[in-house]
Every structure is written in structure tokens, then in C-alpha cells.
Amino acid sequence: MPDTIPGYIGQSVPRREDKRLLRGEGLFVADIQLPNMLHVAIARSQFPHARIKDIDLSKALSAEGVELAISGEDILEQLPPISGMQLATPPGYQERVDTDIQIPDQPLIPHEKVRFVGEPYALVVARNRYLAEDALELISTDFDPLPPVATTDKALDENAPLLHEKLGRNVAAILHTKKGQGAEALKTAPHRLKRRFYHHRYAAMPMECRGVVADYDARTDTLTIWSSTQVVHWVSREVANSLGMPEENVRCIAPDVGGGFGGKGHVYPEDILVAYLARRLQRPVKWIEDRHEHILNSTHSRDNIYDVEIGFDNDGRIETVVSDFVVDSGAYSPIGAGIAGNSIAHMLGPYDIPNYEASSKIVLTNRTPNAPYRGAGRPEVGFAMERAVDLVANELELDPAEVRFRNMIKADQMPYSVGLTYRDGVPIVYDSGDYPKALERALEELGGLKSIRKRQKDALRQGRYIGLGLGCYVEGTGVGPFEGATVKIDATGKIVVATGACPQGQGHETVFAQVTADLWKVPIEDVYVTVADTAHVTMGYGTLASRSTVTASGAIQLASDQIKEKAFAIASGILEAGEKDLELRDSGVGVKGVPGMHISFRDIATAARPGWGHKRPEGIDAGLEATSYYEPPTVTWAYASNAAIVEVNPGTGQVLIENYVEVHDAGVLVNPAIADGQVKGGLVQGLGGGLMEEITYDENGQLLTGSFMDYLLPSASDVPPITVIHQETPSPLNSLGVKGLGEGGAIAPPVVIANAVCDALRPFKAEINSTPVRWGEVAAIFGDDPFKATSTTTTPEMEK
Amino acid sequence: MKPAPFNYIVPTSIDEALALLEEHAPDARLLAGGQSLVPMMNFRLSRPSHLIDLNCIPDLAFIQDNKDHISIGAMTRERTIEESSLVRSSIPLLYEATRHIAHLPIRSRGTIGGSISNADPAAEYPAALLTLDGEMVVRSKQGKRQIKASDFFKGIMETAIEPNELLVEIIVPKVPPGTGFAFVEISRRHGDYALAGIAAQMTLSGKTVTNVRLAACGVGPCPIRLNDAEKQIIDDGLTEKSIQSAAKAAALEVDPETDLHATADYRRRLTAVLTQQALLKAKERAQENN
Amino acid sequence: MDEQSISLTVNGTEQNGEAEPRMSLADFLRERLGLTGTHIGCEHGVCGVCTVICDGMAVRSCLMFAVQADKKEIRTIEGLADGDTMHPLQTLFSEQRALQCGFCTPGMLMTAVDLVDNNPSITPPEIKAGMSAVLCRCTGYEGILKAVEAYAKQIKGV
């Protein structure tokens, strides 16, 4: 290997994960088969809200193959609920944002009442899943239906029934923050615009549902849990707490995980229950969530109503934004105030706006709990804000692109202090980037604003409705509190890395090998990476919130620095050279400028070993191993501009996306191909949310979309041509210059589509202020006669 | 999502199947391709005591050329129909309808008899057979009946088949010369059930429409023959105006419902748009064949 | 219900096993034969993740009972590579970034094998429509379509 290694960071290194996954040799939780294993099936409420009067398990218990059946009462003494307050907000946050947070606890299996369709009320453990499901049908129940709190409006009614009597209200949290004059500034604004916006409920919907396998070893009193989760350390900690075991004795592994996107980003009751059952029965226990259960029971997301008022001047410069929004949190709130906190922090986006005021209520209803999903509060607030910006442009008869340019923070304003506080408690400072350039490039990619507008006009004359939709956002990424990594160099000279990151397809084994190889200037083949296993690193946080590249890389770097110091001290002694004259090269340490003077990592590791033969200088302790925890100073700010051209069919209302462009900046890209895939995958999830994916409840809180026949994920045929352009402005907050990017793609598409359709339907002064954009509603804008709008003679003239 | 237990029986002849049906009806279900039934069983929404698997009866799987008509065995796979050159040349509307059914791996198993007996309101084959004036041959231990498509589909997932009867064969007249056809539909995603679909077949003699048949799926409890729209075309021919009038007439004679995927009004609108599309396409093809 | 004996050929090897009639082919492959490369995504025939090849045609293994596979020839993802030599589609999937989490990948690969091997003249729009049979939540499909298109070109010898 030459002295000047080109470096792996920035290279689209092929993924290490691919081979096993392509050969059917991956290991997902459902693939784990252990001798004597038992299988769990869970009885789930069909009522949105009901008091549990009686559950009779006797028939289920005597059914074929059944080992155990339990209801909430049976575990009441043994297993505490999942605490609602486990995700405390940092002190700095509460000082700067007014909060009133009372998150309800979530029982593992409720014994008093059920609060959403799909909530567990009993479970059966049997020889196989077929028999376990047979036994579920033998459970007889006496439930007393309670009036359902089906919507946030109903929940906030003063006579509303309470979901959680202890709280005394159907509100889990109230947040409020203000910048400048806040709402006061509306009074002096030359123009005001007020609208209600709604972002509907949809969900992460990974192709692999969740699943847990647990195995208890009585000899050592240890539990091993395999969970399809994004947060192994969080799972092991909760299980240890619940079962009264030391964390050390609870190992949690997330093997190959089939997508997560936030939906697997917290501890669920089943994680703890399955572990409990394995210990109680002293046999391996497996629970695999089926798709119906997943749709009912795994967390949903979005579902926010925004009331927004904007004050602006004659030039379209926004003077203040006032927002009052409600999050439908469902029956519990596993991530606390995280979503609303994100929404508040991200509303001003890439714009330089002097005044702002936001109030939020996180409201409890009889729906499936709401937790972060790819974007986590940003798509919701982005929909409200970016629609509002278009409406401001309409008011002034300006181009929406122009209004954005006029309000955007300029590159020379960076770093830009927003005047708000992030949910890590730190004042928000956008660290780097060029927002106007991103928008400019997105428009250029579509042919430039002028030519788009000309094309649109020409098309309209022929009775064709073409529209341009824009959507810009900023995204705090790489959030703390920390991530852990252990780095070792063993006596073979190989570098072994473990982090708390828990990938679900992000290619971490590859990405962190690239980072490590560059830090040590070694061939990537000499780096071994393990992820998502609590046995390999003591404390970790997990993979969510677009954070792992930033935080796990930071931890790997800190740990590496510690070992490097030792390696240099040892090399200095052996090579008899000053440490300042040493450098990393050729899989070892050498004296700068002296080719022969070199010692390999293998020899350094041997020299570092404890015992008689060691060659460590005085004061250097044994071993080449370190564990470090990176606590980022605050978040790095990724951002993007999205632009799409759509054509609306006046007969059918179908929205054809001709071209979709996202100019995205996540700083330095460690593996550009992986980064590109992350953004594109996110975009398609956003398009799904914008046009077809929807979780629907009826007015009584009954879930209507319980299968893939009714919950529509986009397929290959639904994907338009997509171009992603990466604008790489390094972050000054970390030495690699990286920012996070997992979520970004999913943020903008719903509003881009809505803006584009409204732009196409400008002659009708169409306003679509809710998601998803429905063909039927779009068609209705053209009037009752499906043939009228296609006839060129009757087309109203475009205003501009 | 595991099905409830059932008794599984595999007859190898039609007679054996009929005897089993007689013995175990009404709690028995016939298993054809299983692409609709098995999901229902996995959700435990269908829980037959006996499952009579028709997949091992060779006499039920065939496509035969019988002079003026094609005979198709009920257990013929949708994929076999799609790949049949005989179907493509003699009853191309059936080929085009097949291409709209779900996805290839579903068509690998799904059968024409299964689709027709299941009679999903949005399914393609029932509308196609109504348009093609197809006939269904059903058998029981007592004998054989032949039912015209127009008498076969009774309601939502309801047909004229009696509990002790088995659909064995579908008879479809070959298209006369000068005929054009079209099967068009709009679904939310490629391969999904149609929000609305139109099957059309018309025969031209020079510029005169000598015959036109139209049927819709997804916009009523069962496929709906669009009589008013047909009459419009027969009366006024294939002008732009007449086609639009026919399309609007079609929208009025369907009977759609609102569900998660579309409102009744939107389905009516789609009926109009698709009727126009189907007529234009069928016209173009008929002219090519003239 | 009692288990029934079945014998079938899986990836070229004759296999004998027992299955209760209601056991799906997917569960049989995974649990009785240990072939866990075939994944289960919805169990109602929509997602396509469990797609395998049965007698040369792609089918949903969640919608077939194992007993129906008696005397049939089944091919799963485990039978795609030739020892250590990857099947061309596997190589192309990796090159084209056609997988992230890898959960849908077995269904994608088996569907693509059927689409292309049985119709070498398949066009890109047909590939797009055909590959819509399987849902992927990670990639946005671009890499998948590119990989299958490249495979079709290879097969055609272009």
C-alpha cells in the first residue's frame, strides 16, 4: 500500500452487506430457529376504547400445543409499564421553550382498558404460530365499550372521555416558543394570510415487520434478545430494568433488519414481553409480527393539523409566521414531544424571518400511537410552511420561486443564528450551506424557471395542465445525546470496530469501515465492523434521526485517537524516534521520510499486550483498545430544494410526475452511492405519502386500512424519473465534514406535489391544503364534465 | 396470519370433485388458483371445513378451438391464457383483460374459473365475458347447465352457481371480422383492482357500426352492461360527439359505491372517461381490421 | 390436522417433508427445510417478498399450501448462485445498488428471473410493470430496474 492512500471517504465502495443478502444468507429475526422454541401470538383489541371487565383464558390454556396464556392482570405485579417520561428533554430546552409535558405510561398489556384498535390484551405461547393463533380464538372476553375519542377535535372537547384518567386531560404535551415579536408582528405586517393545513397519517411500513426472539440461559442468568429494532441498547436497558437484571446480562442484537425508517426506533411492549416469557418459561420464545398486526400496532406517524398565519410585505418578504398545531398522538406517545419539538424548530426552514411564534398540543386519541417516521415532524411542518409560501406568492401575483429567493438565507449569512432552540437544548445555528444555489440548481435541472413557465403557458393553450412544484427544507441531523464505539487492534493487526449504530439497510458495515480505514490509513479489508449488538459496545444510542454517520463516526474517531496515542508512544520507543516524527502508514507507524523505519500494527499490538514480554514505555497501560462516547456539540444542518413538474389529467385527475429533482446537501458524503440511495428511497416514501399511502380511521376510531390491499405502498410503476444532485458543503462541526441524510428525501414530496398540482390548476385558483393529493378531488376542480376542460375553447386563460 | 385448520382433499377427476362437493357443501370451499381465497383464509375471514383442491384435475385445464368459439377449462391459469396465441388471435379482448389482472406471479396461479366464480365486482374477466357474450358451463352430480354471462353474475361476489355445482368450462365466441376491442381501466397502482374498467368490442361494416358491446367493472355490485351507451353508438355512430354522449350515458347507468379508494362520483367520472377511451381504441382497431 | 408427506425438488435437490395442509409453502421452505432466504412480508399476496419459482414460474409462496407443491420443482434464492459464483442478476443488483435492507431482494430476484428468462425480448416498460409485482420500501426501485434491464440485455446478448 502506498504512503498516500487515496482514501475511502468519498468513494462508492461496494457494500459488504450485499453478498449475504443476495444469496439468501442474511439473518433476519424471523430466520432464527432455536431448539425447543415456543411461538407467541397476541390477542389485539378490536375496540378503539373499552373497559376490560373479564378475560377468560381457560379454553386457550387447554388448547393443543399451548404452554402459556396471559392477560394484563397476570403480569401486573411483575412488569412495570414503559415509562412515558423516559425520553426527558434536556435542561436547556425547557429553559428556552415553554413546555408542559405529561406523557402517559404504556402498559405492556393493559389490564384496565384498551385504548386503540390493535392494542394487546392477552397473549398465547404455543408450540407453533398456527396453534398459537388457534388458541387466540378461544379467549373469551367481556369488554365494555367506552365512547371513542376518535379525533383530536373530540379529544380537546371539555366533555371528552379521558384516555388516561391519571393525566386528567387528553393532552400529552403543550409546547410554545417565540422569536422576535412573534404574533405581535402580524399587526404591523402589510399583508396577512391565514390557512389551515392538514398532513394525514401514514406510516414507516418497512417490508420486514417487527419481531423478537429471546433465549434465557439459567446457568448464567443471562438473556439474549434478537429484535428487529433500531435501538438495541435501549431495548436491553428497558428489559434489564423491567426484569430486574443487570444490563450486562441482557444482550440485545439486531441482526439483519428489513427496514425501519423510525417505526422500529423505540422500545415496544413486545420487546420486553418476549424476554419476560423466555425467562419465565426457560425456553426460547419467538414472536413475529404479521402484516395485519404491524399496520394496527406498530406506530404510525404524521397526522397533524396546522393553523398558520403569515405576515408579509409588498415584496413578499415574510415578516412573521404564527403557527398553532395539533399532533394526533394516538393512545400513547413513545417518543414524547419529539415530533412537535422538531416541527417547531424546523418551521422557518431556509428563510430569514425575523419573527415567529409557535404553539403545539400533542393530543391523545384512541388511535395507534404516533412516533417519528422518516422526517419526524419536518414533512408536516414543511407541508404547512411551503404551501403557505406558495399562497403568499399567489396573493402578490409573484412567482413562488421568486418569493423563496427573496426570503432565503444567503450563503454569506452562514453560520446563521436562527434565534430558536433545538431539542438538544442548544440554540439553533445553521452551520453551512448555500440555500439559494440549491433552488437555482433544481430549477436549472428542469430547464430553468423561464422556460418552464413558457412551456406551461403553451401547454395550457392546448388544454394541458402542467405545473411546477417547489419545496425547500432544512434538517437538523446527527443529533445527540451521544453514540458509542469500541475500537481495537488485535494481535493480528486487524482493526475491529463496534458501534451502537443499528442499521436497517443503510450499509453501516461498509460506511464505518470506510471511515475507520481512512482514520488508520489501512486497506478497508483490514477493518472489521460489528453493529447493533450490545455485547460489543457498552453504551450506544441507535440509528434514527439521521444521526449515525455523524455520531458513530465521531465515536470511532474519538476511540481511535485514544489508541493512536498509545500506538505512537509504543512505536516511538521501539523505533527510537520522537512521536512528532511519526506518521500512520502502511498498516502501521513509520518515521516520516524514512522508508525503512516502520513498525506494523501487528507488532505494535503484540508490544502492547499485557505480560512479561511487553514493550510499552513507562506509563502506557496494556492493550490497544478503547471505548469512546461522542457527544455532538449540537446538530449539523442538512438542507434541500425540491422541484417537480407534473401534468394533471383533467378527465381523471391523475397526477403524472414528469420529473422530480432534489438538490440535497449533507456535507461530505462518505459513500456517495449509498447516500444517493438513501435520498432516493426517502423521496419515494414521500411520494407515497403525497399520493397514495394513508392510514384511515372511521368516525368511531375503527381502523379501515388493515391490509396491503388498502394501505398502498408505491411500486416500481409509481416512481417518476428522479434526479438527485448532491451539493457537498462540509459541516464545520466535525472533522469529517459530514451531516446526516437518512430522512431528508421523505420530507418534501407531499408539499411539492400539492404545490405542483395547484400551480397546474392556477386557472381554477385551486388550493390543496391537505394530504394526500387525491385524484378524485383534483378531477372535481375541473368541474362535473370530464370532457370540458380538455376542450381548448373552454379553457380559462392563465392569469399571468 | 395463519389459516384455521381444514380438511384437505385433492380430487383428480371432475366426477370425484362433484361427489366431494355434494358431500361437504356448504362448508367446503373449492380451491382454484387460491389468489383470492387463500388471503381470506390467512386473515381467517374464510374458514372452510373442507378445502377441495381442483389443481390436480387435468380435465379442467385446456384451451380448445371449436370452430366459432373457444372453450377454456375453468382451471386454466390466467398466465396460460395470456400466453395463448389462440386467445390472442380469436378473442383478443380476453387477452387484453388478462394483462390487467394483478401481477405475473398472481397470474401464474390464478385461474379464469376462480376469477369468475369469485365474482369480485372489480375483476376484469366478468366484464370481459359479459362483453364477449361468453357462457359458463357448470356441472353437478345431477347434470350440466350452460349459463350466459348476462345471467351469471348476480351481485357482489355472487353468481348463478349453486353450492353443489362446479364451473368447468367457459365458452367464448370468436370475434367476427371487422371487429375492434379494448379493455381499459384505471387502478390506483399498476396491478391493483380497477377503480373503474371498461371492456368494449365493436364490429364495423365500412363506416357502419353493426355491433357494439360495452361492460364496466368496479362500478357496481357486478359487471354492468352499458346498454344506453351502446344504443347511443348504434343510433348516432362514432362521431366525437356521439362517443362523448355515450360516455356520459355510461356514467349514468353504472352503480358505483364510495370506498377507501374512490368516491362513487369519481368512479362515475372515470366510467365516462374510460368509455370514451375504450370506444376510440376499439374503433381504431376495428378500422384496422376492416 | 394431521401432517401429510410431500416430496418435491428444491433447487435441484429432492426433498421430502411433512406439512399440515394449512402450512404455507413459504413456512414449509423456511421452517421445515431451513431455507430462510425466502422472506415473508404480508401473507396476503400483495408484497411479493415471498416469491419463488414453481415449475418455472414465479408464484407467491404465501398463497400456496406446501401440500400443493408435492411433486413440483421449486427454485428459491438459495438456488440462484452456482456455488461461489453469483448469478448475473445478483452481481447486477449489487452493482446497481438495487438493495438496501435486503428483505424484498429474494422476491425481486425470483420475479426478475421469471420475467427475463421466460421472455428474453422483454422491454424496459415491461420490466417496470413486471417488477411492480414486488414492493421495496428502501431503494425507490431505480437500481432494481436498472439491474433487471441490464440482465435482460445480457440474456439477449446485446
Side-chain angles (χ1 to χ4, degrees):
Chain A
M1 201 105 194
D3 183 35
T4 50
I5 293 173
Y8 294 100
I9 292 176
Q11 306 293 322
S12 292
V13 172
R15 296 196 335 155
R16 297 183 159 192
E17 294 86 348
D18 286 0
K19 189 178 173 194
R20 63 175 189 266
L21 295 170
L22 285 162
R23 294 173 61 93
E25 292 164 357
L27 184 78
F28 295 86
V29 171
D31 303 342
I32 294 168
Q33 299 188 15
L34 300 171
N36 274 324
M37 192 155 71
L38 294 168
H39 298 259
V40 177
I42 297 175
R44 299 189 179 278
S45 172
Q46 299 186 3
F47 295 99
H49 199 189
R51 194 156 298 287
I52 300 171
K53 288 169 74 182
D54 186 46
I55 295 174
D56 181 358
L57 301 169
S58 54
K59 280 188 191 148
L61 274 164
S62 56
E64 186 196 345
V66 172
E67 291 287 330
L68 182 69
I70 58 173
S71 65
E73 215 155 55
D74 299 317
I75 56 163
L76 192 57
E77 303 295 316
Q78 291 99 318
L79 295 175
I82 300 180
S83 165
M85 301 305 282
Q86 58 185 317
L87 267 195
T89 48
Y93 189 73
Q94 287 168 26
E95 280 161 28
R96 298 182 185 101
V97 178
D98 305 324
T99 60
D100 168 5
I101 302 178
Q102 296 179 52
I103 309 289
D105 294 345
Q106 181 170 7
L108 304 187
I109 307 177
H111 71 286
E112 289 172 323
K113 62 181 200 172
V114 287
R115 297 181 176 87
F116 66 94
V117 174
E119 181 162 31
Y121 62 83
L123 62 80
V124 170
V125 190
R127 199 168 67 230
N128 65 47
R129 177 65 178 246
Y130 289 79
L131 294 172
E133 290 191 20
D134 291 348
L136 284 188
E137 298 185 317
L138 302 173
I139 297 173
S140 63
T141 56
D142 184 3
F143 282 12
D144 192 7
L146 296 167
V149 181
T151 63
T152 51
D153 272 357
K154 280 189 188 167
L156 292 172
D157 187 296
E158 56 182 85
N159 298 318
L162 293 175
L163 268 87
H164 302 271
E165 286 80 0
K166 267 191 213 164
L167 296 187
R169 64 184 197 188
N170 287 328
V171 176
I174 300 171
L175 305 178
H176 174 261
T177 199
K178 189 172 158 181
K179 171 186 179 180
Q181 297 303 305
E184 276 295 300
L186 283 171
K187 291 180 185 159
T188 53
H191 303 272
R192 290 164 75 156
L193 180 136
K194 194 173 178 179
R195 287 291 189 285
R196 170 167 282 203
F197 302 100
Y198 173 62
H199 194 306
H200 75 296
R201 180 172 277 237
Y202 79 111
M205 213 58 73
M207 294 319 297
E208 180 204 30
C209 301
R210 292 185 307 111
V212 188
V213 171
D215 189 18
Y216 178 71
D217 180 14
R219 190 179 67 83
T220 54
D221 185 31
T222 52
L223 261 170
T224 305
I225 302 162
W226 293 265
S227 177
S228 179
T229 182
Q230 302 173 223
V231 286
V232 287
H233 284 88
W234 190 355
V235 170
S236 68
R237 194 170 70 242
E238 283 294 316
V239 169
N241 280 328
S242 292
L243 302 189
M245 295 169 70
E247 230 180 294
E248 187 64 23
N249 285 17
V250 180
R251 178 183 183 187
C252 182
I253 301 164
D256 289 314
V257 174
F261 319 113
K264 299 174 180 173
H266 60 274
V267 177
Y268 280 89
E270 293 90 350
D271 288 310
I272 300 166
L273 283 168
V274 174
Y276 162 79
L277 292 168
R279 189 176 70 169
R280 174 164 167 179
L281 295 165
Q282 309 243 335
R283 285 174 71 175
V285 174
K286 183 182 206 172
W287 167 72
I288 299 300
E289 185 183 55
D290 65 36
R291 182 57 63 183
H292 182 58
E293 281 185 289
H294 181 83
I295 300 176
L296 259 56
N297 174 67
S298 283
T299 51
H300 303 161
S301 203
R302 318 289 192 245
D303 205 353
N304 294 0
I305 300 168
Y306 274 80
D307 284 309
V308 176
E309 187 161 9
I310 291 201
F312 53 100
D313 70 13
N314 295 327
D315 297 327
R317 285 209 52 106
I318 297 172
E319 297 183 349
T320 189
V321 175
V322 181
S323 158
D324 188 355
F325 68 100
V326 168
V327 178
D328 185 334
S329 183
Y332 305 97
S333 186
I335 297 282
I339 293 173
N342 271 351
S343 299
I344 289 175
H346 287 81
M347 186 156 202
L348 299 181
Y351 307 117
D352 187 2
I353 298 172
N355 307 292
Y356 170 53
E357 190 158 353
S359 316
S360 171
K361 280 198 180 81
I362 300 174
V363 176
L364 298 157
T365 64
N366 290 121
R367 293 185 174 194
T368 299
N370 181 338
Y373 152 52
R374 208 170 197 168
R378 302 170 185 94
E380 298 90 318
V381 77
F383 184 80
M385 183 68 189
E386 288 295 281
R387 273 300 295 139
V389 170
D390 266 36
L391 291 166
V392 165
N394 290 355
E395 286 282 313
L396 299 174
E397 299 191 359
L398 290 169
D399 197 291
E402 182 55 33
V403 172
R404 284 180 173 77
F405 283 124
R406 287 183 191 178
N407 284 286
M408 267 181 178
I409 296 158
K410 308 291 180 286
D412 61 14
Q413 291 175 271
M414 290 290 176
Y416 174 88
S417 177
V418 177
L420 296 170
T421 300
Y422 204 64
R423 69 184 159 96
D424 58 8
V426 179
I428 297 175
V429 177
Y430 296 160
D431 52 346
S432 64
D434 188 340
Y435 303 159
K437 188 172 155 203
L439 180 55
E440 195 59 58
R441 286 174 79 178
L443 290 166
E444 272 167 24
E445 184 65 25
L446 294 173
L449 188 59
K450 265 191 186 166
S451 93
I452 296 167
R453 293 300 178 204
K454 181 174 185 303
R455 228 193 104 200
Q456 190 177 20
K457 255 187 175 169
D458 293 347
L460 194 59
R461 279 192 213 102
Q462 298 159 23
R464 291 178 58 195
Y465 295 84
I466 288 174
L468 168 68
L470 302 176
C472 305
Y473 67 82
V474 297
E475 185 198 1
T477 63
V479 70
F482 77 96
E483 190 53 273
T486 297
V487 178
K488 312 176 194 181
I489 302 181
D490 68 12
T492 67
K494 306 292 184 198
I495 300 176
V496 181
V497 177
T499 86
C502 301
Q504 323 105 48
Q506 294 92 334
H508 283 175
E509 290 165 47
T510 309
V511 168
F512 296 135
Q514 289 178 255
V515 169
T516 308
D518 276 11
L519 288 171
W520 287 94
K521 297 200 168 31
V522 296
I524 198 165
E525 297 75 25
D526 289 347
V527 180
Y528 291 77
V529 177
T530 49
V531 290
D533 184 345
T534 57
H536 290 279
V537 56
T538 308
M539 288 183 279
Y541 202 80
T543 292
L544 38 93
S546 306
R547 62 190 299 278
S548 288
T549 303
V550 178
T551 58
S553 300
I556 292 167
Q557 190 166 15
L558 286 180
S560 294
D561 287 347
Q562 284 190 45
I563 316 173
K564 263 185 212 166
E565 222 168 275
K566 288 169 82 173
F568 272 61
I570 292 166
S572 162
I574 294 170
L575 296 172
E576 295 176 359
E579 284 185 37
K580 277 185 186 159
D581 296 328
L582 299 178
E583 64 181 1
L584 290 173
R585 71 168 192 245
D586 299 344
S587 296
V589 175
V591 180
K592 287 178 195 163
V594 189
M597 296 284 278
H598 179 266
I599 178 168
S600 68
F601 288 137
R602 173 198 282 253
D603 291 342
I604 295 174
T606 306
R609 282 175 66 84
W612 296 319
H614 83 78
K615 290 177 190 161
R616 304 188 305 269
E618 197 126 324
I620 299 292
D621 60 356
L624 280 184
E625 175 176 344
T627 296
S628 290
Y629 300 99
Y630 176 64
E631 300 166 271
T634 184
V635 289
T636 55
W637 285 89
Y639 63 91
S641 278
N642 291 242
I645 304 236
V646 306
E647 177 161 4
V648 180
N649 181 322
T652 63
Q654 284 168 298
V655 178
L656 177 83
I657 303 169
E658 188 181 290
N659 219 330
Y660 194 107
V661 180
E662 171 153 340
V663 179
H664 188 274
D665 192 342
V668 171
L669 302 179
V670 175
N671 186 317
I674 288 179
D676 202 61
Q678 286 290 309
V679 178
K680 284 180 179 154
L683 281 169
V684 172
Q685 292 191 4
L687 293 171
L691 287 163
M692 54 177 66
E693 291 179 47
E694 184 175 15
I695 288 185
T696 311
Y697 285 86
D698 71 8
E699 66 279 11
N700 298 315
Q702 200 51 249
L703 190 133
L704 302 177
T705 46
S707 80
F708 269 174
M709 299 293 283
D710 292 323
Y711 188 90
L712 307 185
L713 291 176
S715 75
S717 295
D718 302 303
V719 177
I722 292 174
T723 308
V724 173
I725 296 169
H726 299 278
Q727 183 164 293
E728 292 186 59
T729 316
S731 170
L733 298 187
N734 58 67
S735 62
L736 299 178
V738 294
K739 301 180 179 185
L741 56 68
E743 293 169 279
I747 295 173
V751 75
V752 171
I753 295 165
N755 281 344
V757 171
C758 292
D759 188 54
L761 303 191
R762 223 166 253 282
F764 301 92
K765 299 191 190 302
E767 267 194 40
I768 297 171
N769 292 337
S770 64
T771 61
V773 174
R774 297 175 209 278
W775 295 345
E777 288 169 15
V778 173
I781 293 171
F782 290 95
D784 287 340
D785 186 342
F787 304 117
K788 200 176 165 195
T790 43
S791 154
T792 48
T793 49
T794 55
T795 304
E797 260 307 304
M798 188 112 175
E799 286 155 54
K800 295 178 290 174
Chain B
M1 275 179 61
K2 308 297 180 189
F6 51 81
N7 290 292
Y8 178 68
I9 323 172
V10 195
T12 52
S13 72
I14 293 173
D15 286 341
E16 197 187 336
L18 293 174
L20 287 166
L21 199 50
E22 199 87 25
E23 188 184 342
H24 298 295
D27 296 330
R29 286 295 303 263
L30 297 166
L31 176 63
Q35 305 300 289
S36 300
L37 176 59
V38 178
M40 297 300 279
M41 290 173 67
N42 288 354
F43 276 104
R44 299 201 178 201
L45 295 170
S46 173
R47 36 192 323 150
S49 63
H50 291 73
L51 195 62
I52 303 169
D53 187 346
L54 304 174
N55 283 275
C56 296
I57 304 176
D59 289 352
L60 285 177
F62 59 86
I63 302 177
Q64 265 171 21
D65 189 347
N66 290 331
K67 288 184 192 162
D68 61 340
H69 68 268
I70 305 285
S71 290
I72 303 176
M75 282 298 291
T76 306
R77 309 273 177 211
E78 288 154 356
R79 183 162 178 172
T80 310
I81 293 170
E82 182 180 359
E83 289 168 359
S84 158
S85 54
L86 183 60
V87 168
R88 201 161 176 178
S89 60
S90 304
I91 33 173
L93 176 63
L94 198 70
Y95 162 78
E96 194 155 284
T98 308
R99 297 279 293 172
H100 285 284
I101 300 172
H103 299 282
L104 188 67
I106 299 287
R107 300 196 293 272
S108 297
R109 295 288 298 170
T111 65
I112 184 168
S115 168
I116 288 166
S117 316
N118 191 49
D120 190 291
E124 289 83 1
Y125 277 154
L129 287 165
L130 197 56
T131 305
L132 288 163
D133 204 13
E135 291 190 46
M136 322 308 160
V137 182
V138 297
R139 274 184 57 184
S140 67
K141 275 183 86 174
Q142 287 70 39
K144 189 167 160 178
R145 306 197 279 152
Q146 207 156 313
I147 311 166
K148 287 182 91 57
S150 50
D151 299 324
F152 186 83
F153 301 103
K154 297 288 190 190
I156 297 175
M157 307 186 109
E158 201 187 323
T159 68
I161 306 177
E162 296 294 331
N164 66 337
E165 286 179 323
L166 172 67
L167 173 65
V168 293
E169 185 180 332
I170 294 96
I171 296 172
V172 188
K174 289 185 185 174
V175 293
T179 298
F181 67 94
F183 195 103
V184 290
E185 72 172 43
I186 287 177
S187 55
R188 291 193 63 189
R189 292 176 303 187
H190 176 79
D192 284 348
Y193 272 123
L195 297 177
I198 301 289
Q201 188 157 288
M202 69 169 72
T203 309
L204 294 183
S205 173
K207 286 194 172 173
T208 315
V209 184
T210 56
N211 191 18
V212 61
R213 291 176 71 97
L214 290 162
C217 63
V219 285
C222 49
I224 295 177
R225 180 88 184 270
L226 303 173
N227 295 306
D228 296 346
E230 289 173 10
K231 187 171 182 300
Q232 174 68 38
I233 298 298
I234 293 292
D235 290 351
D236 289 344
L238 289 165
T239 64
E240 190 184 335
K241 196 170 159 237
S242 157
I243 286 176
Q244 275 196 16
S245 304
K248 285 179 182 173
L252 293 177
E253 58 189 318
V254 296
D255 182 18
E257 284 198 22
T258 294
D259 67 11
L260 283 172
H261 301 296
T263 63
D265 281 350
Y266 183 53
R267 285 192 154 95
R268 278 188 202 280
R269 184 186 188 102
L270 293 181
T271 302
V273 174
L274 289 167
T275 301
Q276 183 196 40
Q277 272 180 29
L279 284 168
L280 290 171
K281 203 165 162 187
K283 173 188 167 189
E284 196 184 309
R285 284 168 165 169
Q287 285 166 345
E288 280 167 19
N289 293 337
N290 242 272
Chain C
M1 295 296 151
D2 292 340
E3 300 204 329
Q4 299 187 6
S5 296
I6 51 173
S7 69
L8 65 170
T9 306
V10 182
N11 299 327
T13 307
E14 197 173 312
Q15 298 274 9
N16 297 295
E18 305 272 315
E20 201 188 345
R22 62 171 162 166
M23 179 178 249
S24 70
L25 176 59
D27 279 343
F28 178 80
L29 291 168
R30 292 172 50 77
E31 288 170 22
R32 296 294 158 92
L33 303 184
L35 295 171
T36 55
T38 298
H39 300 152
I40 295 175
C42 78
E43 293 180 287
H44 52 282
V46 181
C47 78
V49 162
C50 68
T51 304
V52 300
I53 308 269
C54 174
D55 286 350
M57 293 183 292
V59 300
R60 309 288 209 221
S61 65
C62 72
L63 298 187
M64 252 181 96
F65 296 111
V67 288
Q68 295 187 288
D70 190 33
K71 300 188 182 67
K72 299 248 188 282
E73 204 172 313
I74 305 291
R75 195 173 174 204
T76 69
I77 185 168
E78 287 93 345
L80 215 47
D82 181 9
D84 284 343
T85 310
M86 296 280 248
H87 184 279
L89 258 175
Q90 291 171 316
T91 308
L92 288 162
F93 261 54
S94 190
E95 281 172 17
Q96 296 294 342
R97 308 286 172 161
L99 69 157
Q100 287 180 22
C101 80
F103 197 77
C104 73
T105 308
M108 288 289 178
L109 289 170
M110 302 324 281
T111 301
V113 164
D114 180 11
L115 281 177
V116 179
D117 287 5
N118 286 319
N119 180 15
S121 60
I122 193 165
T123 62
E126 286 171 337
I127 287 172
K128 193 169 192 175
M131 293 307 292
S132 299
V134 186
L135 300 173
C136 166
R137 190 56 161 164
C138 292
T139 63
Y141 301 104
E142 185 186 79
I144 293 169
L145 297 177
K146 279 189 183 164
V148 180
E149 284 166 21
Y151 176 58
K153 276 188 186 166
Q154 278 186 19
I155 292 290
K156 249 187 290 184
V158 178

